[in-house]
Amino acid sequence: MTTTSDLADLAVQALAGKTEAGGNVFAPRDWPTWSGEYTVLMLHAPSEEGTSLGRNAPQFDVTATLQITGRMQVPAQDSDATASVLETKLEAMREQIKRALINSPQLMPLLQQFPFFRSRIVTDPSGEEHLGELSMEIGMEFYQGPEDFYPVVGEEVQQVNLHLDATNVYDSSGTYADPPFPQEVVPAPRTSGPDGRDEGTLQINLSE
């Protein structure tokens, strides 16, 4: 079964060491462990949308939106020059992110396509260190079908017992104790069955 959470985890693995951020790639549960060192990538997948493929079975094309926030810091120098350096570095990291995800051998077999990506770069020249941020949204489309919604739960069947209480072979007045299907017995006097007799049985042992 493919889930949005699984894809987000695989995206973290795919990006680690493949961008300017190096190993500083974190999912939400890892954010508290971030040391504050830049450059950093933070990923989460807060939304998904499913489109039904028909009425006859639960089949969906699901699109998860992976949100990536990349932050980078450089020493403050000339404001215009620093902003230009930041933008260039963030643009390069944007391409690194796309290449790492789209070429990922772990992600690609699970996806039907990347239906979209969007990005935005913002730089902040205030402070001793100039901060730049890259915000990206990447769509990941995958399939979910009946097998994803109806897992088989329960114990293995070891034996099947078949009982026959016919409708056209009957005792018009008899009463029989412990009929196999008491709710189906026609009360006496009767003009048709079932009458409560076990007129045929078959036992199948599936474990043999």
Side-chain angles (χ1 to χ4, degrees):
M1 178 179 181
T2 301
T3 67
T4 294
S5 178
D6 293 336
L7 294 175
D9 288 342
L10 290 173
V12 170
Q13 297 173 30
L15 289 170
K18 300 291 181 61
T19 74
E20 193 77 23
N24 279 349
V25 184
F26 301 103
R29 61 180 172 273
D30 301 319
W31 290 355
T33 67
W34 177 49
S35 65
E37 179 184 351
Y38 293 98
T39 300
V40 64
L41 291 179
M42 295 183 175
L43 284 70
H44 66 139
S47 65
E48 66 175 19
E49 181 177 345
T51 301
S52 175
L53 298 178
R55 298 178 181 273
N56 296 328
Q59 296 177 305
F60 300 89
D61 283 336
V62 182
T63 300
T65 298
L66 179 68
Q67 291 189 352
I68 304 172
T69 301
R71 292 181 181 144
M72 185 179 294
Q73 221 174 31
V74 297
Q77 298 171 356
D78 176 79
S79 295
D80 291 338
T82 301
S84 177
V85 169
L86 269 174
E87 287 193 17
T88 299
K89 285 181 172 291
L90 289 168
E91 287 171 357
M93 189 164 67
R94 175 172 57 194
E95 297 307 311
Q96 292 169 347
I97 290 170
K98 289 191 292 185
R99 285 196 296 269
L101 293 180
I102 293 173
N103 288 328
S104 168
Q106 289 78 34
L107 275 175
M108 291 302 294
L110 303 178
L111 299 179
Q112 299 182 151
Q113 63 170 331
F114 291 94
F116 66 86
F117 60 81
R118 296 182 284 266
S119 67
R120 183 169 180 264
I121 291 174
V122 177
T123 59
D124 181 2
S126 62
E128 296 181 359
E129 298 284 333
H130 285 205
L131 180 67
E133 181 173 284
L134 166 67
S135 298
M136 293 189 71
E137 291 184 343
I138 298 178
M140 299 182 293
E141 182 184 287
F142 59 98
Y143 170 81
Q144 286 185 333
E147 66 279 5
D148 298 315
F149 301 101
Y150 299 132
V152 177
V153 179
E155 298 181 0
E156 182 181 356
V157 177
Q158 300 291 329
Q159 182 175 298
V160 176
N161 295 318
L162 303 178
H163 298 267
L164 173 64
D165 188 351
T167 60
N168 60 350
V169 177
Y170 65 93
D171 182 342
S172 62
S173 58
T175 301
Y176 301 92
D178 300 322
F181 307 104
Q183 71 277 9
E184 302 297 333
V185 175
V186 177
R190 62 181 67 86
T191 56
S192 68
D195 56 17
R197 293 180 297 172
D198 204 353
E199 294 153 351
T201 61
L202 174 63
Q203 185 180 86
I204 303 174
N205 292 316
L206 302 177
S207 60
E208 297 180 355

